[in-house]
């Protein structure tokens, strides 16, 4: 209380002094005793209320941030003051009373707000910056899940896919379809079995019968399970699991692209994150981040390593291709080339799906008696085949092999380019220009 | 004749010019997105195909070419958050709130003017028409001073933004560049129209010119409403961004940026809120004049004015909870997390205050109506039953404000055996609260019906049946509301929400059918005595002031809630608030701040009223206005 | 018109109208949201 | 009219006598019981009865020429309301809510006595009489007030300012907003999209409609569809999981949460606050299943900031139970109480 009074004095001494001066002035100047008495009395009331006002302000000033529940008291003080003043200053009576009423309402509500429990919202969680090396294994694994599936906790969602595009071919859960590539469940433990496979020819890459012997000359073979995983990412054709090779190559060549190269271009830390998720989701502690990265450094030469993704804004789009690329890149980015043979497209020699010569075959298939789709023209048929692959399945290929996500993952422009191109590919004719 | 024709031509020209002014911003704006958005992108595409980056809209999920910079990642420090030795957020809060108060006041008052002027034009009673016209003129006079204050406060707000939150503001203005220019141009159009409207009042008094004048007010309001919509798009964007990609890069579609998930609910809620607020402020003005007036004539005039303003305000207050309900639903649909934070989480206590405020508003309205029955003879027959209405209101109110989480001492907690009270716990959930508020609103409707038939006795042949029918209808409505509220306890929570719709329908049926039926019954009714304007008690005027203050307070509160639900985001999930004030204040601090805002607003608006009374003194056209001796001197009193 | 001025008749008629009205409105609006009066008892 | 009012008076007298008798134990305090399940409406109806009773009483007293002054009527009613809230409702109403109701009561009494000019004057009359002090008695009274009121005010403010050693007030948000996702046993669960893997139909698919159909009566719970006995060993699917959840519940949870799941277990009253009562419609009935999963897994120490002061001894069960076990317990809790988990669409 004492410091409030002194604070009020220090703030309001000028106003108080003026009022006191007025008091003296009235005392001296007014002749009529009745008028003099009235004037002096009014000024006196004025001084008191002025002082109360400054006390209230002082209270606000000192307690603005405090927990003090006394704040409303100062408002009530103002209210009482105004009503008392209204009794004496009849000219301003209405204004004062209204002001007092408003003060009262505000004071009541303010007091009510202060009376209720006070909960302060905490500071926000620290913004995550991708400082890979300081992440806990769990955080690293979350990043990995984002890369594979596009988001934390999305690994069971049908069609969830991240920039790694892994679920296009690989299955991740028990019992799920994996015809184009091995199911990756149990990979961390399976790595060692693979190393023991004579076909892998551990330590002696030159004896391998695959199309590519080494990730790069002098890289050697994997020594640990983790290195096996790293090698598989960096050099898919260095070892092909039986039955998953490109058809017709007798499992000598893998349809999988090198993940560190375009179009997927995962950086080393990102690859490490993907691996961390693979370990952690099975309850196995992953190797340290440094070890993970080291395993990749063994198989990816310095020059081939993609630069950190942070340079260009990551995750700007969840699309594989937006249609601004030339058509061969669209085929590459959409991973069509892994499964299909497309005349005129470099690298498109896959045999998991039919050869795409839609200029000739599309119209035949529409006439096929088993065709149940809605397409009327070849272009419609091609579009339907991309967006809804199960509408018509070319014999003898199995159904449900081609992902059904391309309708969402390719922009309209990209789809159009694909359709345009494919409708010009005719059997026996030279491929159209890109 | 020639003079009149000339006037006519002139006035039509003025009207055309105003329409032109209204259209000007749109015409100017049309090419601007094209220039600002597509053209450079197209050029870039030609030059280098690889440089064109595409982004995905965070809300509409469409593709777009990136044309804006990403949202800046701010860091605490003088670069992004320059500041005084004080919380910048609080300063901004203050500037924003004051601007909003004045803004909504000057938007609402022309709408009242329009309605009242229209009523004046269509009323057959000459004296009444003149009174309406004078009232509308009084209103617009008040809003004229407030208008310039709004502009000044807007300027202060922009400067506050620029100086205290430069990074954020430059990002926002980068995205809304064309909108901000349209906004500025619209503001010019608005002031032009307002000045012609105000200064042309006397010139355009009669016949055809009056209609021109009236249509001018329509244009004025269209511009004003569009202005508000544009301003709403900014806060809508901050709460539920759209038209940008995940990093906040603008994708070239300005309509997406404006038309965010919460834009339309916000628009509706704000229009209704502004109207109710405007009604409250004018009613408070009338109350002040009433209390200050010395003659019976003045008292009668301001009594009447207060009544009209209150009726208009309450007419918009009644649908307001439903508009709020829509907004809440959209918030839940947009982000469930946001909805839970609002209703059940961090901000839940603020909603308890809000419930209290809504109750206060309806209670004061009812109280005013009961008091108003005192100025008409013949209303005594209803006054006896007021106590039952009080009781029903109080029951509804108590249920409505019962908190879900109760504050209690540990001893009480033990005695209760858990957080949930077996009786009151049931009042704390939505089902009961919906019942409570609908009972309150229905009772308000009942009070209104009583007021309207206070001094009249129906003379239609089916009067008896009509009375009984109304009684039965209200009884059934109460029963239906309470039944649905109780029924809600027996069905699962997610389905229960659906029950609020029939409850609301019941309340609205009461509102519309009973008002309609009542006015049919009261057509040509026998008058027991005249309404003695000015014979109302002083207490009623305090009820009006209460209404106005409470409404101002509630506006501040709801604005705070809406703003703080973003928690630590400048733009929700796009741009983080990295200033040291990224936490949410306590309820008490917010309440103090709102009180300070409210009091500042009222002190300043009283000053505006005083300025208005100064001009009234100078212009002796309608000498009834300025009352000598009652001119307040706020400068001396505060 | 005398029937209408009989309070008992008036009460009965208005009861029928209002109860019918509210039941109709409730039923319609609840039906829109997959609800009805018998939600509780239906299985 | 007179008959009606007499009836009202009768109700009023009877009600007052009964209430007084019950409070002072003259008649058994269970004469009129607040029946669980109907209490909220029952309480409102009771108060309504008293209002009717008082109206009738005041009318009859007026007719007999012993009218109670409006002033005392108003004050009397308010006092009655406060006493009613304090003594009639059991368990006692917390002081905060009584304060709110008291304030509302005061306001409404004011609205009632000042609703019209005549009433207001009647109400003011005693106050004015004392202030005017025409008689010697009144003058004496005025002096008494002059002394008493400042002393009272002083006493109140002293009482308010005096430092007291009270238990701090419990303020906690019982259901704080959950996080977006939670990590249990190294797996991340997004609360909005996760599903209980055991809430399945015979085909093994997640199906809430199916499991809801196994619960016949809401709120009262525990009534089963014919042939839906989870304790039957031969059960498969949903009911089997319910049984397994029950086993886990009775091995781990029922010590605190009680064998009726009403929060009154063996150890319950050693804690403050006592454990959550799942049969209450305000707990699991209005929460999502994933919310419960989160709370069970993380326990009291996992409460977010707004759950301050984190007054919960609930252990983080992820340290003792597997994820599957937690899901099964949650399943059991819903089945046993007869509630459905909340969904948002």
């Amino acid at each position: 209380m004492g410091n409030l009074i002194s604070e009020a004095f220090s703030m309001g001494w000028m106003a108080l002094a003026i009022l006191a001066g007025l008091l003296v002035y009235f005392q001296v100047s007014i002749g009529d005793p009745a008028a003099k008495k009235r004037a002096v009395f009014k000024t006196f009331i004025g001084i008191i209320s002025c002082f109360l006002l400054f006390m209230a302000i002082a209270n606000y000033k000192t307690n603005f941030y405090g927990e003090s529940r006394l704040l409303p008291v100062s408002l009530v003080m103002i209210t009482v003051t105004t009503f008392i003043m209204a009794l004496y200053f009849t000219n301003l009576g209405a204004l004062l009373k209204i002001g007092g009423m408003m003060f009262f309402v505000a004071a009541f509500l303010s007091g009510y707000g202060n009376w209720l429990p006070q909960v302060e919202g905490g500071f926000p969680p620290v913004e995550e910056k991708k400082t890979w090396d300081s992440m806990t294994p769990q955080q690293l694994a979350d990043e990995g899940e984002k890369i594979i599936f596009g988001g934390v906790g999305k690994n069971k969602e049908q069609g969830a896919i991240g920039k790694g595009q892994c679920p296009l071919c690989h299955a991740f859960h028990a019992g799920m379809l994996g015809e184009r590539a091995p199911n990756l469940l149990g990979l961390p433990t399976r790595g060692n079995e693979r190393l023991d496979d004579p076909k892998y020819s551990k330590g002696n890459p030159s004896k391998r019968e695959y199309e590519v012997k080494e990730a790069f000359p002098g890289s050697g073979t994997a020594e640990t399970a983790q290195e096996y995983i790293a090698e598989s990412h960096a050099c898919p054709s260095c070892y092909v699991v039986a039955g998953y090779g490109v058809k017709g190559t007798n499992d000598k060549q893998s349809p999988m692209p090198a993940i560190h190269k375009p179009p997927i271009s995962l950086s080393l830390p990102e690859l490490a994150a993907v691996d961390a998720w693979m370990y952690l989701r099975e309850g196995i502690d992953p190797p340290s981040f440094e070890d993970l990265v080291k395993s990749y450094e063994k198989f990816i030469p310095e020059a081939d390593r993609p630069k950190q993704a942070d340079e260009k804004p990551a995750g700007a789009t969840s699309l594989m291709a937006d249609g601004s690329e030339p058509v061969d890149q669209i085929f590459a980015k959409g991973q069509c080339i892994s499964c299909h043979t497309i005349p005129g497209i470099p690298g498109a020699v896959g045999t998991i799906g039919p050869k795409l010569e839609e200029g000739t075959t599309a119209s035949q298939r529409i006439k096929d008696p088993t065709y149940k789709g809605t397409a009327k023209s070849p272009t419609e048929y091609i579009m339907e085949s991309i967006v809804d692959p199960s509408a018509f399945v070319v014999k003898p290929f199995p159904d449900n092999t081609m992902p059904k996500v391309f309708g969402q993952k390719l922009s309209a422009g990209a789809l159009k380019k694909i359709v345009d191109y494919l409708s010009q590919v005719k059997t026996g004719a030279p491929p159209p220009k890109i | 004749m020639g003079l009149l024709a000339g006037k006519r031509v002139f006035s039509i020209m003025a009207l055309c010019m105003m329409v032109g002014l209204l259209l000007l911003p749109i015409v100017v704006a049309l090419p601007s997105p094209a220039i600002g958005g597509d053209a450079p992108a197209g050029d870039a595409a030609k030059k280098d195909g690889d440089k064109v980056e595409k982004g995905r809209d965070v809300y509409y999920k469409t593709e777009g070419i990136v044309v804006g910079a990403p949202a800046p990642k701010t860091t605490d420090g003088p670069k992004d958050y320059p500041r005084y030795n004080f919380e910048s957020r609080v300063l901004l809060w203050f500037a924003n709130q004051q601007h909003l108060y004045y803004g909504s006041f000057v938007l609402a008052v022309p709408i009242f003017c329009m309605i009242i002027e229209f009523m004046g034009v269509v009323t057959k009673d000459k004296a009444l028409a003149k009174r309406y016209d004078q009232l509308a003129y009084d209103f617009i006079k008040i809003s004229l001073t407030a208008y310039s204050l709004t502009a000044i406060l807007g300027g202060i707000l922009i400067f506050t933004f620029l100086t205290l939150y430069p990074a954020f503001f430059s990002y926002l203005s980068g995205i809304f560049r064309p909108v901000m220019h349209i906004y500025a141009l619209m503001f010019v159009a608005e002031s032009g129209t307002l000045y012609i409207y105000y200064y042309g009042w006397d010139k355009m008094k009669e016949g055809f010119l009056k209609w021109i004048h009236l249509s001018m007010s329509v244009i004025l309001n269209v511009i004003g409403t569009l202005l508000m919509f544009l301003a709403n798009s900014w806060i809508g964007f901050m709460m539920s961004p759209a038209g940008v990609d995940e990093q906040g890069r603008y994708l070239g579609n300005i309509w997406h940026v404006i038309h965010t998930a919460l834009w339309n609910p916000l628009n509706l809620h704000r229009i209704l809120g502004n109207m109710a607020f405007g009604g409250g402020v004018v009613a408070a003005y009338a109350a002040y004049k009433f209390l200050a007036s010395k003659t019976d004539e003045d008292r009668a005039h301001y009594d009447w004015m207060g009544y009209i303003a209150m009726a208009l305000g309450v007419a918009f207050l009644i649908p307001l909870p439903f508009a709020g309900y829509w907004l809440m639903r959209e918030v839940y649909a947009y982000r469930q997390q946001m909805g839970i934070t609002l209703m059940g989480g961090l901000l839940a206590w603020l909603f308890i205050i809000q419930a209290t405020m809504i109750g206060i508003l309806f209670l004061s309205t009812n109280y005013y109506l009961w008091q108003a029955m005192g100025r008409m003879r013949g209303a005594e027959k209803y006054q006896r039953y007021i106590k039952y209405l009080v009781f029903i209101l109080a029951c509804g109110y108590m249920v409505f404000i019962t908190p879900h989480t109760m504050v209690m001492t540990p001893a009480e907690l033990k005695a209760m055996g858990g957080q949930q009270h077996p009786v009151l716990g049931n009042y704390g959930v939505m089902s009961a609260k919906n019942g409570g508020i609908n009972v309150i609103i229905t009772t308000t409707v009942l009070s209104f019906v009583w007021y309207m038939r206070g001094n009249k006795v129906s003379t239609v042949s089916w009067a008896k049946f009509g009375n009984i029918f109304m009684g039965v209808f209200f009884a059934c409505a109460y029963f239906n509301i309470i039944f649905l509220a109780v029924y809600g306890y027996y069905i699962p929570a997610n389905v229960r929400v659906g029950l609020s719709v029939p409850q609301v329908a019941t309340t609205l049926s009461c509102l519309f059918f009973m008002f309609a039926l009542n006015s049919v019954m009261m057509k040509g009714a026998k008058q027991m005595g005249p309404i003695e304007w000015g014979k109302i008690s002083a207490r009623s005027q305090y009820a009006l002031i209460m209404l106005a203050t409470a409404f101002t307070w509630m506006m501040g509160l709801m604005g705070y809630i809406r703003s703080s639900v973003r928690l630590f985001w400048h733009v929700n999930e796009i741009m983080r608030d990295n200033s040291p004030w990224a936490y949410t204040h306590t309820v008490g601090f917010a309440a103090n701040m709102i009180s300070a805002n409210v009091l500042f607003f009222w002190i300043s608006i009283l000053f505006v009223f005083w300025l208005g009374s100064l001009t009234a003194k100078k212009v002796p056209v309608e000498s009834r206005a300025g009352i000598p001796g009652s001119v307040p001197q706020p400068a001396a009193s505060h | 018109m005398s029937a209408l001025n009989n309070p008992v008749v008036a009460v009965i008629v208005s009861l029928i109208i209002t109860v019918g009205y509210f039941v109709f409105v409730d039923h319609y609006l609840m039906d829109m949201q997959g609800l009805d009066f018998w939600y509780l008892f239906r299985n | 009219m007179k008959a009606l009012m007499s009836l009202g008076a009768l109700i009023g007298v009877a009600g007052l006598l009964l209430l007084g008798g019950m409070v002072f134990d003259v008649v058994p305090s269970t004469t009129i019981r607040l029946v669980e399940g109907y209490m909220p409406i029952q309480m409102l109806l009771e108060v309504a009865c008293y209002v009717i009773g008082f109206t009738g009483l005041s009318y009859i007293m007026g007719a007999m020429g012993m009218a109670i002054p409006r002033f005392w009527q108003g004050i009397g009613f308010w006092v009655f309301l406060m006493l009613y809230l304090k003594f009639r409702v059991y368990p006692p109403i917390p002081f905060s809510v009584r304060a709110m109701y008291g304030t509302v009561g005061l306001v409404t009494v004011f609205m009632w006595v000042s609703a019209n000019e005549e009433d207001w004057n009647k109400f003011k009359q005693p106050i004015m009489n004392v202030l005017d002090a025409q008689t010697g008695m009144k003058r004496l009274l005025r002096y008494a007030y002059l002394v008493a009121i400042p002393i009272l005010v002083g006493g109140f403010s002293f009482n308010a300012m005096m430092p007291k050693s009270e238990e701090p007030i419990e303020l906690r948000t019982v259901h704080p907003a959950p996080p977006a996702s939670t990590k249990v046993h190294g797996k991340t669960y997004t609360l909005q999209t996760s599903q209980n893997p055991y809430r399945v139909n015979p085909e093994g698919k997640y199906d809430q409609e199916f499991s809801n159909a196994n619960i016949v009566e809401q709120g009262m719970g525990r009534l089963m569809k014919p042939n839906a006995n989870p304790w039957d060993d031969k059960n498969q699917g949903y009911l089997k999981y319910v049984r397994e959840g029950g086993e886990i519940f009775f091995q781990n949870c029922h010590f605190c949460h009680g064998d009726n799941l009403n929060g009154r277990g063996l150890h319950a009253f050693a804690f403050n606050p006592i454990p959550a009562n799942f049969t209450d419609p305000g707990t699991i009935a209005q929460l999502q299943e994933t919310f419960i999963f989160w709370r069970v897994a993380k326990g009291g120490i996992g409460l977010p900031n707004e759950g301050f002061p984190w007054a919960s001894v609930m252990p983080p069960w992820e340290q003792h139970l597997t994820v599957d076990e937690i899901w099964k317990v949650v399943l059991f809790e819903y089945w046993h109480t007869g509630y459905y988990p909340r969904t948002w669409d």
Side-chain angles (χ1 to χ4, degrees), chain D residues 124-143 145:
Chain D
K124 281 196 300 190
Q125 204 52 55
I127 306 174
M128 288 303 166
N129 285 348
V130 171
L131 286 178
D132 245 11
Q134 298 292 347
T135 63
M137 182 62 191
K138 290 271 152 64
R139 200 167 296 144
L140 208 63
L141 207 56
R142 189 170 72 174
Y143 286 128
Y145 280 134

Side-chain angles (χ1 to χ4, degrees), chain B residues 337 367 371 402 407 421 427 539, chain D residues 40 91 96 101 114 120 178 343:
Chain B
Q337 201 78 9
Y367 188 70
Q371 293 298 312
T402 306
V407 183
H421 193 279
Y427 294 150
R539 292 191 304 285
Chain D
S96 63
Y101 287 175
S114 68
W120 180 234
T343 50

Side-chain angles (χ1 to χ4, degrees), chain D residues 172-292:
Chain D
R172 53 188 216 124
T173 310
V174 186
H175 310 307
S181 64
T182 183
K183 233 163 269 155
V184 182
H185 286 295
K187 272 182 88 173
T188 306
Y189 295 85
T190 314
L191 292 192
Q192 247 192 71
T193 54
S194 291
Q195 291 171 333
N196 191 334
Y198 297 104
R199 190 173 286 284
V200 289
N201 57 16
E203 284 96 61
K205 289 241 178 69
Y206 180 87
D207 188 349
Q208 190 170 337
E209 286 304 313
F210 172 77
S211 58
N212 285 356
N214 269 287
I215 295 160
V216 176
E217 194 175 328
Q218 264 271 305
M220 295 299 166
R222 296 180 297 283
L223 283 185
M224 290 169 297
K225 206 164 81 170
N227 309 322
N229 177 11
W231 311 121
D232 187 343
D233 282 343
K234 290 191 286 289
N235 275 324
Q236 287 303 317
Y238 170 72
L239 285 174
K240 177 171 155 250
Y241 300 137
V242 168
R243 190 172 72 109
E244 287 167 6
E247 279 162 10
I248 298 157
F249 182 89
F250 284 107
Q251 279 161 16
N252 298 286
C253 319
H254 97 285
F255 304 107
C256 299
H257 288 288
D259 40 12
N260 272 329
L261 280 68
N262 57 0
R264 282 160 168 69
L266 202 56
H267 303 314
F269 290 94
F271 304 129
N272 185 8
I274 67 167
N277 172 2
F278 301 141
T279 59
D280 189 294
T283 58
I284 62 170
Q286 59 161 339
L287 294 167
Q288 278 174 290
E289 208 166 12
T290 48
F291 188 100
I292 317 294

Side-chain angles (χ1 to χ4, degrees), chain B residues 336-337 345-346 367 370-371 383 388 394 402 404-405 407-408 410 412-413 417 420-422 424 427 492 494 537 539, chain D residues 40 55 91 93 95-96 101 108 114-116 120 167-172 178 272 274 280 286 306 340 343-344:
Chain B
Q336 197 193 101
Q337 201 78 9
L346 188 61
Y367 188 70
W370 302 332
Q371 293 298 312
Q383 282 185 335
Y388 303 114
T402 306
H404 183 239
T405 310
V407 183
M408 57 190 107
E412 284 170 336
L413 190 69
Q420 294 295 325
H421 193 279
L424 306 182
Y427 294 150
N494 62 323
S537 66
R539 292 191 304 285
Chain D
T55 316
I93 301 177
F95 78 97
S96 63
Y101 287 175
T108 45
S114 68
N116 62 46
W120 180 234
E167 282 182 276
I169 287 171
E170 284 290 335
L171 318 158
R172 53 188 216 124
N272 185 8
I274 67 167
D280 189 294
Q286 59 161 339
E306 41 180 302
Y340 313 144
T343 50
W344 293 103

Side-chain angles (χ1 to χ4, degrees), chain B residues 538-555:
Chain B
R539 292 191 304 285
S540 68
Q541 302 303 310
Y542 285 107
L544 284 186
I545 293 162
M546 181 101 166
L547 195 72
T549 321
F551 203 91
T552 327
W553 212 91
M554 189 155 111
M555 222 168 122

